[in-house]
Amino acid sequence: QASRRFWALRPAQHGMPSGKPRRSKVAHRQWLSEKRQHVPATDEGAAPPDGADFDEGHQVSATSSSKEDFQAYYRAQKLFGDGPGAELEYKAFWSALRRPLPVTVAVDQRHPFAASVKARLAADGWALRGEFDRSGMSVWELSGDRYDASPAARAWAERENRRGSLVFQELPHFL
């Protein structure tokens, strides 16, 4: 009985119906399609923001592109302040966001073939990230373009990953 009372008191928090009528599948697909195209939705209560302010005059409208929305959002955060160097920092920031992350691997130092794996990585042009040496990690990176351009090196790295001698991981996850 206690659980019944609990469900009765908090229906929306436990996957129970909230009392709001659901859209039909067709209506939901239409709403989702319009949302993806940044077209104002025809379904009541499903329209995108109507240009509401989110910080000191920065506006987002249903007709602006997602790139403009994205940039306006980050500019509103004032990540780099308002000073004279802020615009240069934003240009570097947008440029960095457009570049793909490098392919990054960590060699398992306990693996019996760790030394030969490191030698092969160096021979294939992978760069050792020295900032992880103190932690006892052997982290290597290669640009995505070079990784994609070398099928043999790619096949070798993927095989070593399956064998457990190295692990693919995004660089921020090593921090």
Side-chain angles (χ1 to χ4, degrees), residues 5-16:
R5 281 182 293 198
F6 183 75
W7 284 99
L9 294 174
R10 301 168 187 247
Q13 293 178 354
H14 298 286
M16 300 293 289

Side-chain angles (χ1 to χ4, degrees), residues 2 4 7 12 15 20 24 53 71 77 96 123 137 144 147 154:
R4 283 186 185 173
W7 284 99
K20 187 176 178 184
S24 69
D53 291 342
Q71 289 185 356
Q77 304 306 310
M137 296 172 63
Y147 183 73
R154 181 180 185 148

Side-chain angles (χ1 to χ4, degrees), residues 104-111 114 117-118 121 127-141 165-175:
T104 313
V105 297
V107 176
D108 182 357
Q109 304 281 40
R110 298 165 297 173
H111 196 275
V117 170
K118 290 183 209 176
L121 288 169
L128 177 64
R129 297 292 303 240
E131 63 265 38
F132 296 100
D133 289 346
R134 283 187 162 184
S135 65
M137 296 172 63
S138 180
V139 178
W140 299 73
E141 74 177 19
S165 61
L166 60 82
V167 177
F168 285 90
Q169 192 77 38
E170 285 183 336
L171 188 61
H173 290 152
F174 290 116
L175 302 176

